[in-house]
Amino acid sequence: HMPESSHTPQADRLIRYIIEHTQTQFGREYFRVLVRHLAEGLQVKAAWVTELLVREQVLRSLAFWVDGKYVDQYEYDLVDTPCERVVTEKECFLVPDKVIELFPKDPDLAPMNAVSYMGYPLVDENSQVIGHLAILHDAPLHPIPEQEAVFSLFVQRANAELLRLKAHEALQEKKVRLSTLIDSIHEAILEIDDLGFVTLANPAASRLFGLDRKHLIGGLVFSLFEEESAALMRATLRNTRENPDDDHSPGSGFELFVYHSNGETVPVKTSVCSYLINQERFLTLLLRDLKDIKRAEQRIKIMEDDTILPGKNRGRGLVGECKEIQKVIEDIQFISKSSSTVLLLGESGTGKEVFARYIHEQSTRSSKPMVIVNCAAIPSNLIESEFFGHEKGAFTGALQRREGRFSLADGGTLFLDEVGELPLDMQPKLLRVLQEGEFETIGGSRTIKVDVRTIAATNRNLEEMVREGTFREDLFYRLYVIPIQLPPLRKRDKDVILLADLFINKFSRQVGKTIRPLTKSAMDLLLTYHWPGNVRELQHVLERAVLLAKDEQLDLEKFIPNASVSFVDRCGENPETEPIKILSPEDLEHIEKKNLLNALNQTGWKISGLSGAAALLGIPPSTLNSKIKVFGLSKPSN
């Protein structure tokens, strides 16, 4: 029998003693309390509960009590131990005496001075061993039937608790894995009840809506959707309530619009599934953000020529060795890392877009797009829509929602070319978005916030326009943060030859022609011409010259206007009788006006096309139209 003293409890007292200390415990804490009081109640040296790791053939303790204290994180190999017999034979195994002699290869018996051992298997619903409950003593064990019955009783209780613990841990593991899966999915997931209250949201949903999960959960889902989309969600929930036995998903793959906390409307591809949990209906919404896809499609469709994507055409066209251009490049490298507004000033064709692109490429925003807006090329009634976008149905012809250029440039750079042509009534709206970084779409009620670095450019005298009242003073100072003056081509010395060589090589490769290096007379012609259209005019002149060249030598006199007349003669000077004078801005304006008239008259006032005046001058048609307005030119009547 088990060791007894005058205080050894009887079987019923032993049961009450163990139950009193274990009845409020569950899981791993139950096993800790059980082994301690089982050892104390039976007055044995050690008691422990293990779980079997089948693949490793290892027993890992859930609780181990020996010599009046717990041993934590104890595990041992099953082979050559008395516990192996319990596991393999799936029944109680008793060694009343000399257990070390029977199992000499068990390394843990000797340190505990083990003499006797008794173990019971713990099994699952398929009678497969999942662990065991054992006691060990440093004296012989001879349990009487009542004691064996008590031990067997708590074996059954331990068996039930181990099954419950494993089921609970398996459930928790599934919940963790499911939660990890949901949290790692890039698409936003919302679970809602049949009234429309959000009961679950993953991190992607937080990013989509710009809200913490604690602000999403418990709120009504309809407030997250645009009006039409919210109506569709209400109809979906109503259909779910009215057809509770319909196990089919309400819908998938349709496009809705949700609100971001910054006021932006985001298109999403939506899938919905419905299911019952404890007779309560839930819906799960899977929302895929289509914003980037839509923006990419919009850029391709309406801005293929005006959007500079990351890494495209990096540094293209930046050629120059004169000190003026080197100073510009040095200034740009210095200011590019900031987000301050830059105003590029210079005559038409001086390469303002090229330098704007270079600023963007040198900035920390180079991984984001640069979006270009030519303020002179957009009809005045469409400028606001182009800048800020519009909602579906905002005006006649607005058949679908469209994002504006500021939204498309979010995180990147917006280049406002020919900003001096911006209508006066549009200027305060531009000022607001430049100052506050926010705007509303046409037909929209929410304020949208954007992070855009603005680069503006003009060939107009904005200060003069401010004095005349055609340009707002506050907008002028908002743009005039970092002004950079680009020199005209006529002041860039031999950069003209560098640029000419660049363009000749480019166009000759494109058309598959071999063009010989420029002659001395051709270089002199390039250097003496006034270039009112600047780099753009030089580029277009050389493109035509290469395209129409009949041999390997370019005949530039055919393509440079009035090439046979010297520059000073064109200025009204006679070099033989009068000294060369420095031209004033008024002189240059007079020359440019006369040059425009010559081109217009020569082409019969045809503006665009290969045979138009704009092509002859080497400037865009929009720029020519702008100059016609500035100089007040009009077509003579026949």
Side-chain angles (χ1 to χ4, degrees):
H1 63 278
M2 294 186 180
E4 297 185 15
S5 68
S6 58
H7 301 291
T8 301
Q10 298 298 320
D12 57 342
R13 294 180 59 194
L14 179 59
I15 292 172
R16 284 197 301 271
Y17 171 75
I18 297 175
I19 287 178
E20 284 175 2
H21 290 88
T22 61
Q23 63 182 347
T24 61
Q25 305 299 327
F26 297 93
R28 294 179 183 272
E29 190 57 34
Y30 168 79
F31 293 124
R32 287 176 65 87
V33 175
L34 173 65
V35 296
R36 173 181 177 178
H37 291 90
L38 193 62
E40 291 176 349
L42 295 175
Q43 295 184 339
V44 295
K45 183 181 181 68
W48 67 97
V49 179
T50 68
E51 60 177 335
L52 175 64
L53 306 181
V54 177
R55 182 177 300 176
E56 297 86 350
Q57 285 296 286
V58 166
L59 287 169
R60 181 168 60 196
S61 70
L62 299 170
F64 200 117
W65 177 268
V66 60
D67 288 332
K69 61 180 181 294
Y70 289 108
V71 177
D72 294 325
Q73 298 179 336
Y74 181 73
E75 63 179 46
Y76 54 95
D77 292 334
L78 185 63
V79 180
D80 296 327
T81 67
C83 305
E84 183 181 15
R85 292 280 293 275
V86 178
V87 172
T88 57
E89 297 183 10
K90 301 181 182 180
E91 60 185 15
C92 173
F93 179 57
L94 172 64
V95 182
D97 199 358
K98 300 179 180 180
V99 68
I100 294 179
E101 295 179 15
L102 286 173
F103 296 93
K105 294 182 180 181
D106 187 335
D108 296 326
L109 295 178
M112 289 190 292
N113 297 316
V115 173
S116 53
Y117 166 92
M118 185 168 66
Y120 271 78
L122 305 177
V123 298
D124 62 15
E125 59 275 9
N126 298 317
S127 299
Q128 298 299 312
V129 176
I130 56 175
H132 85 314
L133 174 62
I135 56 175
L136 179 146
H137 197 41
D138 54 6
L141 280 175
H142 297 286
I144 60 176
E146 288 82 358
Q147 292 170 322
E148 287 186 349
V150 170
F151 191 66
S152 178
L153 174 66
F154 285 100
V155 165
Q156 295 176 42
R157 174 67 178 86
N159 203 138
E161 188 61 27
L162 180 56
L163 287 172
R164 193 198 67 79
L165 176 64
K166 281 187 168 294
H168 175 72
E169 290 181 343
L171 180 60
Q172 289 302 112
E173 181 183 355
K174 286 182 178 180
K175 288 176 66 177
V176 169
R177 290 169 64 185
L178 180 60
S179 176
T180 303
L181 175 64
I182 291 174
D183 288 352
S184 65
I185 290 175
H186 294 303
E187 284 79 12
I189 294 178
L190 291 179
E191 180 189 72
I192 58 176
D193 62 21
D194 62 356
L195 295 177
F197 288 97
V198 178
T199 55
L200 178 147
N202 69 342
S206 295
R207 294 191 295 271
L208 176 65
F209 297 103
L211 297 170
D212 292 336
R213 278 195 275 188
K214 63 181 179 182
H215 293 123
L216 286 172
I217 296 174
L220 274 173
V221 71
F222 312 118
S223 64
L224 303 173
F225 285 84
E226 195 181 52
E227 184 177 351
E228 290 185 13
S229 300
L232 181 58
M233 289 307 307
R234 288 190 179 93
T236 299
L237 281 175
R238 184 169 58 251
N239 181 65
T240 300
R241 287 194 297 267
E242 294 173 356
N243 301 281
D245 297 328
D246 185 1
D247 292 331
H248 297 290
S249 297
S252 63
F254 51 94
E255 188 174 313
L256 300 178
F257 292 91
V258 300
Y259 289 129
H260 190 276
S261 61
N262 67 0
E264 185 178 9
T265 303
V266 181
V268 292
K269 186 175 182 180
T270 308
S271 298
V272 185
C273 65
S274 172
Y275 49 88
L276 282 173
I277 299 179
N278 296 327
Q279 301 306 308
E280 187 175 357
R281 178 72 61 175
F282 289 88
L283 272 76
T284 294
L285 310 182
L286 184 67
L287 309 172
R288 177 175 296 176
D289 189 343
L290 299 178
K291 178 175 60 181
D292 290 340
I293 296 174
K294 291 289 185 181
R295 284 182 173 178
E297 290 175 349
Q298 192 170 339
R299 289 189 187 110
I300 292 171
K301 183 178 179 182
I302 68 171
M303 299 173 63
E304 187 172 6
D305 296 329
D306 289 343
T307 302
I308 299 161
L309 299 178
K312 179 183 177 183
N313 301 325
R314 185 170 293 274
R316 183 184 67 179
L318 261 184
V319 175
E321 294 181 356
C322 72
K323 62 180 181 180
E324 291 87 350
I325 287 297
Q326 289 301 311
K327 177 64 166 60
V328 169
I329 293 174
E330 181 182 338
D331 290 345
I332 287 175
Q333 291 173 340
F334 185 74
I335 58 94
S336 287
K337 303 303 179 185
S338 75
S339 291
S340 299
T341 301
V342 177
L343 179 61
L344 299 175
L345 302 167
E347 297 177 11
S348 179
T350 49
K352 292 185 283 293
E353 181 181 325
V354 172
F355 284 96
R357 185 186 302 118
Y358 184 65
I359 294 172
H360 173 71
E361 290 169 354
Q362 295 297 310
S363 74
T364 56
R365 299 169 179 263
S366 58
S367 62
K368 298 293 184 177
M370 173 177 165
V371 177
I372 300 173
V373 182
N374 189 320
C375 300
I378 305 172
S380 57
N381 62 326
L382 294 179
I383 286 183
E384 186 174 0
S385 174
E386 286 292 327
F387 272 25
F388 307 130
H390 61 256
E391 302 299 325
K392 180 180 178 181
F395 51 83
T396 303
L399 302 180
Q400 60 183 4
R401 186 182 182 278
R402 180 174 177 177
E403 287 193 274
R405 305 297 176 94
F406 272 95
S407 292
L408 293 171
D410 191 19
T413 303
L414 183 70
F415 177 46
L416 300 175
D417 198 10
E418 300 191 57
V419 71
E421 309 301 324
L422 197 65
L424 195 58
D425 61 349
M426 186 63 196
Q427 293 177 22
K429 298 175 183 179
L430 175 61
L431 178 64
R432 180 199 174 195
V433 71
L434 293 180
Q435 290 186 158
E436 309 296 335
E438 61 184 36
F439 60 89
E440 289 84 32
T441 60
I442 298 177
S445 58
R446 291 186 172 231
T447 299
I448 298 174
K449 294 184 177 296
V450 291
D451 173 23
V452 174
R453 200 260 182 92
T454 304
I455 302 173
T458 183
N459 60 356
R460 302 284 298 275
N461 187 331
L462 294 185
E463 292 180 274
E464 181 63 31
M465 293 179 67
V466 169
R467 287 192 292 270
E468 294 172 351
T470 56
F471 201 86
R472 289 179 63 103
E473 185 177 23
D474 47 6
L475 178 58
F476 169 73
Y477 286 115
R478 184 63 187 81
L479 295 173
Y480 203 81
V481 179
I482 303 177
I484 295 178
Q485 184 73 45
L486 302 181
L489 186 57
R490 62 183 171 274
K491 293 185 178 180
R492 291 179 58 177
D493 302 325
K494 294 188 178 181
D495 279 358
V496 176
I497 306 303
L498 290 174
L499 289 165
D501 287 337
L502 175 73
F503 293 139
I504 291 170
N505 289 332
K506 172 186 173 182
F507 298 132
S508 61
R509 285 196 304 270
Q510 288 179 356
V511 299
K513 288 185 176 181
T514 300
I515 302 296
R516 294 177 185 175
L518 292 170
T519 64
K520 176 65 167 58
S521 60
M523 291 183 186
D524 290 340
L525 187 59
L526 292 173
L527 290 171
T528 56
Y529 180 57
H530 181 56
W531 298 114
N534 290 292
V535 178
R536 186 185 293 115
E537 183 183 6
L538 173 65
Q539 179 180 354
H540 291 179
V541 163
L542 293 172
E543 183 176 8
R544 291 195 296 273
V546 171
L547 184 63
L548 300 176
K550 295 180 179 179
D551 53 34
E552 296 180 356
Q553 193 68 57
L554 296 183
D555 184 3
L556 296 181
E557 288 192 5
K558 292 181 179 179
F559 304 101
I560 296 180
N562 303 317
S564 60
V565 182
S566 70
F567 172 50
V568 290
D569 286 343
R570 291 196 303 273
C571 296
E573 303 289 347
N574 186 340
E576 296 180 358
T577 59
E578 297 182 37
I580 296 176
K581 70 174 183 178
I582 302 300
L583 299 176
S584 68
E586 290 76 14
D587 293 331
L588 295 176
E589 184 175 306
H590 174 73
I591 293 169
E592 184 176 9
K593 181 177 180 181
K594 184 176 180 181
N595 194 57
L596 290 175
L597 278 172
N598 289 338
L600 289 166
N601 291 330
Q602 185 175 325
T603 58
W605 278 75
K606 181 179 179 182
I607 304 295
S608 57
L610 290 175
S611 59
L616 184 62
L617 292 166
I619 61 177
S622 59
T623 301
L624 178 55
N625 282 321
S626 174
K627 289 180 179 293
I628 290 172
K629 293 178 184 177
V630 171
F631 291 125
L633 305 178
S634 58
K635 185 177 181 180
S637 57
N638 295 330

